[in-house]
């Protein structure tokens, strides 16, 4: 017989799109509509319901960018609809291809009860399961006219990303606001045909595919296109047999989890995310009520906290669904944060703040870390996850790699200390699955552990801007539960999936080290002001905890638990993976910088109050050291009177060949007439740090126009065009009253200027660069190069509670792909006997190249300073930006750690009557990370230390305060599951090991 597959599939697709789907709500009557456009920011729902409404005609434009319009919809159910399922259908002017990225609405009843959202893929609202003729309908829609910024031609510069610069033009035109009968058999027929069409497209041309195609033809032959609803049951009957055929016994199993990856800010501000969460969770709880087996998972304690505060009626429904086991708190973090740039303490607080919230609100502790969309994952995470009590890790972002395909889907991930966590990547490579035929087939086909394991996870629902799972998706899942030719689909808690996967893979493959994303590398640099604010806030939080704890232990000072919790939560929110990486709209970053300034003021006030209590009354200058290393003559994390600080020997500064020579007892630096560092010698060994014939502190400007994802990406060809910034407009040197030598270098380039102070202090081997750039470039990338006379096989870059090594060569495609990499406070290059580190106060990106001439190897490290992408914020990094960085001449990993810490935790001077000793002193091979009072407000002392050099050693803690003997605890400050206690005064420590001790309050 003749088989014409395109004829059948083309016929089915056209009938589905043009006849069946419109017939789902074909019997309809218009609702009476009225509206009220708000002039400014959103208002509470109760106020919205009480607004004055004026008549509105469907087809009228509405909604300027970032505006809110309230619609009132009223009508009467026709008598002939009695007993039928009746729905309101509202099309605000949606583009169905852009769910989550445009206008949306939350529907309320007249009494203020939230019903569900409407969005491009979810335009219906249930009015009555069995309508009563003559029944009055009154609904209200809080409609948000968010502008489409990521359009069909994405990444175009736009001023619509901030309410301060957006236009007042109305963006949307409504199409439909009707009361309609829901034809359930038509809806089910549409799902039947859609599932079979997509399934057959993935099948070979064998019997199963041919029988599906024949069944589709048979069904369409029975369907009267002028009487769809009446003939839909007969058409469905023709499809029943092919839909009833069971799946193969060995079919891949997909564990579906309802999902709506709601970015806590991105192409919308935080205030809009609060409403997105309310809209999505309303819809998901409604879908839970309408189904028997659907499970919806949501991470981010912050998002639950938002609806608790702003939409308590929605939150009540969420709590009820959680209690019923259908709405699943997952992830255990405050937000789905970036994991590359935050400090170790921030990651700990992401876990502790998240888990405390979930346990307090729901009596639940999520067992896994759910991070589908962060831009790479630090190798410090496995240890931190395990020490916080997590059992598994989930992401999918590494599937976005540009070059190398990750070799596993279910595996053990090993971190820098040797800790391992059971991990899974969904093999369908998406966190926005709709369970399409192609997605389901891909999940089965490319699952790397098919030999031993039975399945994978699928996060199902419209995401990014929210929306979540639809009834079409749950209907699809029902059909795919056991269908020949398809993977099996079932709604399942991730915990259940991971338990089964562990049993199926008792000896899983292992991936060691960072999960580097071969994409979005420029997120280490974009929006420098946001990154700088985060780094300073992190340090101030740790310092505030230290001094508040010390003061509360020794004086009448009251530890500010509530304020510190609130400040931590604000900083943790801004570590979300589209805020800290610099990939959100201008509005988000404007607010973030302002929040950092507020955080700075609040934490400085706490520090000042605590230090005032500690230093006593008096007007003497007191030097206070917040760092766990000596500086400015003050003890580590203690204070002395300024008069007790010894006078340093001044740094020698001499003019030479139009430049300057700076020298102290440790190093000798030569700065040439162009303001470049041509020599940096360790005086004890005579070793030169700068490569022969080259110069450091070389600012370099690159063209920076990636193929896509402007704020996110830097493509490797950016290196092909570079301008060395060597011209100077000013150069002069001086030595100040403290004996510190300074050389000021001024340059101009393009439309920008830069002023550097090269600073060498007495008794320091760090040449510091204090740089102020007035940046007005477009699509440019600013770096500063340090060609080092070091034959380094690896770079060693600080990460959370330790460091990670990366080779300096590009032997393989995996290594070549890492042309832009991350660090925290330092990156070190070394060879046996000599090392050079670059330290910084707010830089996260760098690159390394390795060059050899006649066997002499130069290792060049370049710090990434500023970018100028045009999307999503066309003003990224524009204006005055400041950086502090330094070159440490002749050091090792511990020395680099110390120099990096000191640069970020500078000594401060207060006034009082006396100094004071540190509350906690450490000994041995560990570094003090934090000193705080316990989260449970018991008054117990919590101290965290870590090994910073990647080698085994010992450590010890001595506490000078009203506390008993310490015992080791988890990162959540709870007793360890393992038996036995560790003597805090003397303990062994492994490479990069993090240890937390709790000392009971006496």
């Amino acid at each position: 017989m003749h088989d014409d597959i395109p004829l059948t599939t083309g016929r089915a697709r056209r009938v589905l799109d043009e006849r069946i789907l419109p017939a789902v709500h074909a019997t309809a009557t218009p609702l009476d509509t009225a509206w009220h456009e708000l002039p400014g920011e959103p208002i509470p729902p109760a106020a919205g319901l009480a607004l004055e409404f004026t008549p509105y005609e469907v087809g009228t434009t509405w909604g300027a960018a970032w505006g809110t319009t309230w619609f009132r919809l009223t009508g009467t159910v026709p008598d002939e609809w009695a007993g039928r399922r009746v729905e309101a259908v509202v099309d605000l002017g949606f583009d169905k291809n852009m769910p989550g990225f445009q206008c949306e609405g939350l529907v309320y009843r007249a009494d203020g009860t939230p019903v569900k959202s409407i969005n491009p893929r979810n335009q219906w609202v249930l009015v009555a399961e069995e309508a009563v003729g003559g029944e009055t309908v009154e609904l209200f829609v809080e409609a948000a006219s968010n502008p489409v910024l990521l359009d069909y031609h994405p990444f175009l510069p736009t001023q619509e990303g901030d309410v301060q610069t957006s236009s007042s033009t109305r963006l949307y035109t409504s199409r439909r606001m009707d009361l309609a009968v829901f034809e359930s058999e038509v809806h089910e027929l549409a799902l039947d045909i859609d599932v079979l069409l997509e399934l057959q497209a993935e099948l070979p041309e064998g019997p199963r595919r041919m029988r599906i195609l024949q069944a589709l033809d048979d069904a369409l032959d029975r369907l009267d296109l002028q009487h769809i609803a009446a003939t839909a049951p007969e058409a469905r009957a023709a499809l029943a047999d092919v839909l009833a055929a069971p799946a193969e016994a060995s079919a891949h199993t997909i564990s579906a989890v309802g999902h709506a990856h709601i970015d806590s800010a991105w192409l919308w501000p935080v205030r809009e995310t609060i409403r997105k969460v309310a809209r999505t969770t309303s819809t998901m709880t409604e879908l839970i009520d309408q189904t028997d087996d659907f499970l919806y998972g949501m991470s981010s304690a912050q998002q639950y906290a938002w609806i608790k505060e702003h939409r308590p009626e929605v939150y009540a429904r969420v709590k009820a669904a959680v209690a019923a086991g259908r709405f699943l708190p997952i992830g255990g973090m405050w937000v789905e944060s970036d994991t590359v740039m935050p400090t170790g303490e921030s990651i700990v607080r992401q876990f502790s703040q998240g888990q405390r919230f979930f346990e307090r609100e729901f009596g639940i502790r999520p067992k896994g870390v759910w991070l589908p969309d962060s831009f790479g994952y630090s190798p410090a995470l496995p240890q931190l996850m395990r020490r916080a009590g997590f059992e598994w890790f989930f992401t999918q972002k590494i599937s976005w790699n540009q070059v190398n395909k990750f070799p596993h889907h279910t595996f053990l991930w090993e971190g820098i200390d040797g800790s391992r966590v059971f991990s899974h990547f969904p093999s369908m490579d998406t966190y926005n699955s709709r369970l399409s035929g192609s997605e389901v087939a891909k999940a089965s086909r490319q699952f790397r552990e098919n030999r031993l394991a039975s399945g994978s996870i699928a996060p199902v629902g419209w995401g990014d801007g929210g929306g979540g799972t639809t009834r079409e998706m749950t209907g699809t899942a029902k059909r795919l539960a056991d269908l020949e030719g398809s993977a099996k689909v079932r709604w399942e808690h991730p915990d259940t999936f991971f338990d089964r996967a562990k049993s199926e893979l008792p000896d899983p493959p292992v991936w060691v080290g960072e999960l580097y994303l071969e994409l979005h590398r420029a997120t280490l640099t974009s929006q420098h002001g946001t990154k700088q604010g985060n780094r300073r806030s992190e340090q101030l939080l740790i310092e505030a905890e230290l001094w508040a704890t010390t003061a509360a232990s020794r004086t009448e000072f009251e530890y500010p638990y509530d304020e510190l919790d609130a400040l931590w939560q604000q900083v943790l929110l801004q570590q979300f993976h589209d805020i800290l990486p610099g990939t959100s709209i201008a509005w988000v970053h404007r607010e973030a910088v302002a929040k950092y300034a507020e955080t700075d003021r609040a934490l400085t006030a706490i520090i000042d109050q605590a230090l005032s209590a500690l230093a006593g009354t008096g007007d003497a200058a007191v030097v206070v050291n917040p760092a766990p290393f000596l500086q400015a003559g003050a003890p580590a994390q203690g204070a002395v009177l300024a008069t007790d600080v010894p006078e340093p020997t001044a740094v020698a500064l001499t003019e030479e060949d139009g430049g300057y020579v700076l020298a102290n007892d440790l190093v000798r630096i030569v700065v040439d007439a162009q303001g470049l560092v041509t020599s940096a010698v360790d005086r004890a060994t005579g070793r030169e740090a700068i490569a022969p014939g080259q110069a450091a502190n070389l600012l370099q400007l690159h063209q920076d126009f990636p193929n896509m994802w402007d704020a996110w990406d830097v493509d490797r060809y950016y290196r092909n065009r570079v301008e060395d910034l060597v011209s100077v407009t000013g150069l002069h040197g001086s030595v100040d009253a403290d004996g510190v030598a300074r050389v000021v270098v001024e340059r101009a380039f393009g439309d920008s200027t830069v002023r550097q102070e090269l600073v060498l202090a007495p008794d320091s081997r760090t040449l510091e660069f204090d740089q102020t750039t007035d940046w007005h470039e477009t699509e440019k990338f600013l770096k500063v190069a340090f060609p080092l006379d070091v034959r380094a096989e690896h770079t060693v870059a600080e990460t959370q509670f330790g460091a990670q090594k990366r080779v300096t060569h590009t032997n393989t495609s995996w290594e070549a792909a890492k042309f832009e990499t991350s660090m925290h406070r330092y990156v070190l290059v070394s060879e046996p006997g000599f090392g050079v580190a670059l330290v910084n106060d707010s830089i996260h990106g760098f690159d390394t190249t390795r060059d050899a001439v006649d066997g002499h190897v130069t290792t060049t490290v370049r710090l990434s300073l500023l970018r100028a992408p045009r999307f999503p914020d066309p003003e990224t990094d524009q204006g005055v930006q400041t950086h502090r960085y330094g070159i440490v001449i002749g050091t090792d990993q511990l020395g680099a750690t110390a120099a990096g810490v000191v640069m970020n935790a500078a000594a401060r001077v207060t006034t009082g009557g006396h100094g004071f000793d540190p509350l906690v002193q450490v000994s041995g091979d560990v570094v003090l990370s934090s000193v705080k009072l316990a989260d449970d407000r018991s008054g117990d002392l919590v101290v965290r230390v870590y090994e910073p050099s990647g080698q085994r050693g010992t450590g010890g803690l001595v506490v000078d305060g009203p506390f008993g003997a310490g015992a080791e605890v988890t990162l959540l400050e709870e007793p360890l599951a393992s038996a036995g206690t560790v003597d805090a005064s003397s303990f062994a420590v492994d490479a990069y090991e993090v240890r937390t001790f709790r000392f009971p309050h006496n």
Side-chain angles (χ1 to χ4, degrees):
M1 61 184 296
H2 300 289
D3 282 318
D4 196 337
I5 295 173
L7 188 62
T8 298
T9 56
R11 175 194 186 192
R13 178 55 62 188
R14 184 179 184 193
V15 170
L16 176 63
D17 291 345
E18 296 185 20
R19 293 292 186 269
I20 299 175
L21 288 173
V24 173
H25 290 111
T27 303
T29 185
L31 288 161
D32 293 326
T33 59
W35 67 336
H36 186 116
E37 290 188 290
L38 296 178
E41 286 296 283
I43 59 177
L49 298 177
L51 291 169
E52 294 282 340
F53 289 88
T54 57
Y56 172 82
E57 183 177 347
V58 173
T60 302
T61 57
W62 70 276
W66 308 117
T68 299
T69 301
W70 281 82
F71 292 98
R72 186 181 65 203
L73 313 178
T74 56
T76 303
V77 176
D79 291 338
E80 60 270 24
W81 292 3
R84 308 288 300 277
R85 179 180 169 111
V86 174
E87 298 177 347
V89 181
V90 180
D91 183 346
L92 294 173
F94 297 127
D95 181 338
K96 292 185 68 175
N97 295 321
M98 293 187 179
F101 293 97
Q102 54 175 283
C103 58
E104 301 168 350
L106 181 55
V107 179
Y108 296 85
R109 295 191 179 93
D111 63 1
T113 304
V115 183
K116 65 182 288 290
S117 69
I118 52 171
N119 60 58
R121 294 282 181 164
N122 212 325
Q123 300 181 17
W124 61 273
V125 180
L126 177 63
V127 172
E129 287 281 6
E130 296 182 356
V132 175
E135 180 180 7
T136 299
V137 176
E138 184 176 27
L139 298 171
F140 293 81
V141 181
E142 180 193 18
S145 47
N146 301 330
V148 176
L149 302 179
L150 197 65
D151 213 329
Y152 288 97
H153 185 174
F155 316 116
L156 292 178
T158 175
Q159 295 293 333
E160 296 294 286
D162 195 331
V163 70
Q164 294 183 350
T165 57
S166 59
S167 73
S168 58
T169 302
R170 290 174 176 165
L171 301 177
Y172 296 101
T173 303
S174 61
R175 297 192 187 96
R176 186 178 187 184
M177 297 184 181
D178 290 347
L179 204 59
V181 173
F182 175 68
E183 300 288 357
S184 61
E185 281 293 291
V186 177
H187 172 73
E188 297 296 330
L189 175 63
L191 288 175
D192 291 344
I193 293 176
D194 192 51
V195 166
L196 290 171
L197 268 176
E198 294 196 342
L199 173 60
Q200 64 80 31
E202 301 299 324
L203 295 174
E205 291 188 23
R208 174 62 171 161
R209 186 182 189 195
M210 294 304 120
R211 286 167 188 167
I212 290 174
L213 290 166
Q214 185 59 48
L216 287 169
D217 268 333
D218 292 344
L220 296 174
D221 288 343
R222 298 182 186 186
L223 189 68
D224 185 335
L225 299 187
Q226 279 65 53
H227 300 89
I228 297 289
T231 55
E234 186 179 355
R236 292 196 69 204
L239 301 174
D241 287 346
V242 291
L243 285 167
E248 297 87 349
S250 61
H252 186 81
T253 298
I254 293 175
S255 298
V257 185
H259 190 238
H261 175 69
I262 306 175
D263 286 308
S264 292
W266 180 26
L267 302 181
W268 46 86
V270 167
R271 70 92 152 141
E272 193 56 31
T273 312
I274 296 170
R275 299 203 296 176
K276 282 178 175 286
V277 173
R279 290 192 285 260
T280 298
T281 53
S282 294
T283 305
M284 294 304 95
T285 53
E286 176 79 1
L287 190 57
I288 285 169
D289 291 343
Q290 295 286 314
T291 56
D292 296 326
D293 57 350
F294 170 63
L295 300 177
Y296 177 73
M298 189 170 89
S299 69
S300 300
Q302 173 69 86
Q303 296 190 358
Y304 291 83
W306 278 333
I307 51 175
K308 179 182 180 182
E309 177 183 357
H310 297 281
R311 294 291 193 273
E313 301 87 354
V314 176
Y315 192 61
R317 293 170 64 184
V318 168
K319 290 200 75 168
V322 170
R326 305 284 301 281
F327 196 113
L328 314 176
I330 54 178
M333 298 179 72
W334 189 251
V335 297
E336 290 183 12
S337 77
D338 180 84
T339 69
V340 174
M341 290 178 279
T343 63
E345 284 300 326
S346 288
I347 298 296
V348 172
R349 310 315 170 88
Q350 289 283 357
F351 294 157
S352 64
Q353 291 282 350
Q355 292 288 55
R356 284 165 54 196
F357 180 90
F358 288 128
E359 187 159 41
R360 182 173 64 247
E361 292 295 316
F362 308 117
I364 290 174
R365 280 197 183 180
K367 293 182 178 180
V369 173
W370 180 276
L371 281 175
D373 188 33
S374 200
F375 308 148
Y377 304 91
S378 161
L381 284 181
Q383 177 181 198
L384 303 185
M385 292 179 196
R386 296 304 301 272
R387 289 181 178 270
F390 292 105
E391 299 175 8
W392 54 259
F393 170 64
F394 173 89
T395 186
Q396 72 85 43
K397 197 67 174 187
I398 304 302
S399 69
W400 288 39
N401 275 3
Q402 283 180 322
V403 178
N404 298 287
K405 192 171 184 66
F406 195 78
H408 315 300
H409 286 109
T410 305
F411 61 101
L412 287 175
W413 179 23
E414 181 178 315
I416 55 174
D417 73 313
S419 295
R420 293 177 173 182
V421 63
F422 197 85
S423 304
H424 178 72
F425 295 174
S427 52
M428 64 170 56
D429 292 344
T430 181
Y431 54 80
N432 290 331
S433 172
R434 62 178 184 85
L435 295 176
S436 68
S438 60
E439 290 170 345
V440 170
K442 183 178 185 180
S444 176
R445 181 176 62 250
Q446 72 170 17
F447 182 55
R448 293 299 185 97
E449 282 66 52
N450 264 328
R451 289 192 176 199
L452 297 171
S454 61
S456 60
I457 287 179
V460 179
W462 298 108
D464 293 313
T469 317
T470 65
R471 65 182 173 189
E472 289 76 19
M473 294 171 189
T474 58
T476 298
K478 184 176 181 179
R479 287 159 176 79
L480 297 180
D482 190 14
L483 182 61
E484 183 185 356
S486 172
K488 300 176 183 178
V489 175
R490 62 186 177 205
W491 299 106
E492 188 169 61
H493 196 300
D495 289 347
T496 306
F497 165 84
F498 276 96
D499 287 343
R500 184 173 60 254
K502 288 176 183 178
S503 68
E504 294 174 340
L505 287 167
D507 187 23
V510 179
W511 180 267
V512 178
E514 67 181 322
L515 292 170
Y516 179 91
L517 178 62
E518 296 174 3
L519 196 74
H520 295 359
R521 301 168 182 89
T523 57
L524 300 170
T525 306
S526 298
Q527 296 287 0
H528 175 69
T530 298
K531 293 172 170 61
Q532 188 175 58
N534 174 74
R535 180 77 70 83
R536 175 159 174 79
S537 295
E538 288 176 317
Q539 174 55 39
L540 286 173
L541 280 161
I542 299 305
E543 186 176 352
E545 287 179 337
L546 168 68
W547 300 137
T549 301
T550 307
S553 302
R554 294 176 174 173
T555 73
E556 298 301 313
F557 182 83
E558 186 174 344
Y559 193 84
Y561 290 103
D562 290 337
E563 190 172 5
L564 285 171
D565 267 352
L567 290 167
W568 264 116
Q569 289 169 11
Q570 180 61 50
V571 172
L572 297 177
L573 165 61
Q574 291 171 184
Q575 290 172 350
F576 177 73
H577 64 253
D578 272 309
I579 302 179
L580 182 55
T583 52
S584 289
I585 56 174
W587 189 348
V588 172
H589 291 289
R590 171 170 58 81
E591 287 190 339
V593 171
K595 289 293 185 182
Y596 287 130
E598 292 175 10
T599 299
D600 190 316
R601 288 190 292 271
L603 290 169
T604 299
I606 292 173
I607 290 168
D608 288 345
Q609 292 160 14
L611 291 177
S612 177
L614 285 165
T617 58
D619 56 7
V622 179
V623 180
V624 183
N625 180 14
F629 298 98
L630 295 176
Q631 62 171 319
Q637 299 191 324
V640 296
L641 292 173
T643 53
D644 294 335
V645 176
E647 288 291 332
T649 303
V651 176
L653 178 70
T654 57
E655 295 189 44
E656 183 178 287
D657 298 330
Y660 294 90
V661 177
L662 303 80
N664 61 19
D665 292 339
L666 300 176
V667 296
R668 180 180 183 273
I669 311 292
V670 177
V671 180
D672 72 7
Q674 293 180 309
L676 304 177
V677 177
T678 57
S679 176
V681 175
D682 177 3
R683 300 187 73 171
T685 64
R687 273 296 306 264
E688 172 66 68
I690 308 303
Q694 300 194 55
N697 189 37
L698 175 62
L699 292 169
Q700 295 183 305
L701 194 64
H702 294 270
Q703 185 73 50
D704 183 18
F705 189 66
N707 289 352
M708 58 191 301
W709 297 108
D710 293 29
W712 293 256
D713 280 1
V714 56
D715 290 329
R716 66 178 310 117
Y717 57 73
Y718 85 94
R719 289 178 172 174
N720 299 344
R721 182 181 177 90
V722 60
E723 177 186 358
D724 292 343
L725 306 179
V726 295
S727 298
V728 296
T729 56
L731 180 72
H732 60 274
S734 63
V735 179
D736 64 25
D738 294 328
V740 176
R742 302 175 188 273
V743 174
V744 175
V745 183
E746 296 174 329
R747 307 183 192 278
F749 59 93
D751 295 320
S752 305
T753 60
V754 62
R755 182 182 188 274
Q756 294 179 317
E757 284 192 15
L758 283 58
V759 181
L760 183 63
D763 304 319
S764 174
R765 57 179 63 251
T766 301
L767 176 66
E768 183 180 306
F769 302 84
D770 291 348
Q771 179 169 313
T772 301
T773 308
D774 192 5
W775 178 250
H776 297 283
E777 304 306 301
T778 300
E779 294 163 352
K780 293 291 194 294
F781 195 3
L782 181 65
K783 285 181 170 270
V784 59
F786 290 83
L788 303 174
D789 190 14
V790 179
R791 185 188 181 96
E793 300 294 333
H794 300 85
T795 61
V796 180
E798 188 184 40
T799 187
Q800 294 94 352
F801 301 121
Q804 57 185 313
K805 286 185 176 181
R806 301 183 182 96
V807 297
T808 55
H809 61 73
T810 54
N811 284 359
T812 72
S813 60
W814 292 88
E815 292 144 358
K818 296 181 180 181
F819 59 83
E820 182 78 5
T821 50
S822 65
M823 64 176 171
H824 281 197
R825 294 169 295 195
Y826 74 81
V827 56
L828 169 72
V829 294
S830 63
E831 60 185 49
F834 185 72
V836 178
L838 298 178
V839 295
N840 73 86
D841 79 333
S842 55
I843 297 167
H844 296 86
F846 73 98
D847 73 273
T848 309
T849 53
R850 177 185 175 91
D851 303 290
V853 178
D854 297 328
H856 191 94
V857 173
T858 296
T859 304
T860 300
V861 179
R862 301 191 310 154
L863 305 181
S864 303
L865 302 180
L866 294 170
R867 296 187 70 235
R870 304 294 309 284
F871 183 88
D873 176 9
E875 304 300 321
T876 300
D877 286 346
Q878 299 298 299
V880 176
Q881 304 286 353
T882 61
H883 297 81
R884 288 178 65 228
Y885 52 93
I887 178 171
V888 188
I889 302 123
T891 191
D892 57 12
Q893 201 164 327
L894 180 60
T897 301
V901 169
V902 167
M903 177 164 281
N904 285 266
R908 64 175 70 231
V909 178
T910 186
T911 57
H914 53 78
F916 55 87
D917 292 331
L919 177 64
V920 178
Q921 296 187 64
V922 301
S923 60
D925 305 303
V926 296
V927 171
L928 196 58
S929 175
S930 68
V931 176
K932 63 187 289 292
L933 293 188
D935 288 341
D936 63 9
R937 308 194 179 193
S938 61
D940 291 356
L941 174 69
V942 174
V943 180
R944 190 157 23 254
V945 297
Y946 69 99
E947 194 289 311
S949 299
Q951 58 190 18
R952 299 185 188 189
T954 60
L957 294 174
V958 176
V959 176
D960 181 13
F963 302 99
E968 189 173 8
V969 293
T970 70
L971 294 180
L972 302 185
E973 303 175 5
E974 297 173 341
L976 295 177
S978 57
T981 59
V982 176
D983 182 358
S985 66
S986 179
F987 53 89
V989 64
D990 286 337
Y992 298 135
E993 187 175 16
V994 180
R995 307 291 286 273
T996 307
F997 295 91
R998 182 166 179 153
F999 300 82
H1001 185 266
N1002 289 335

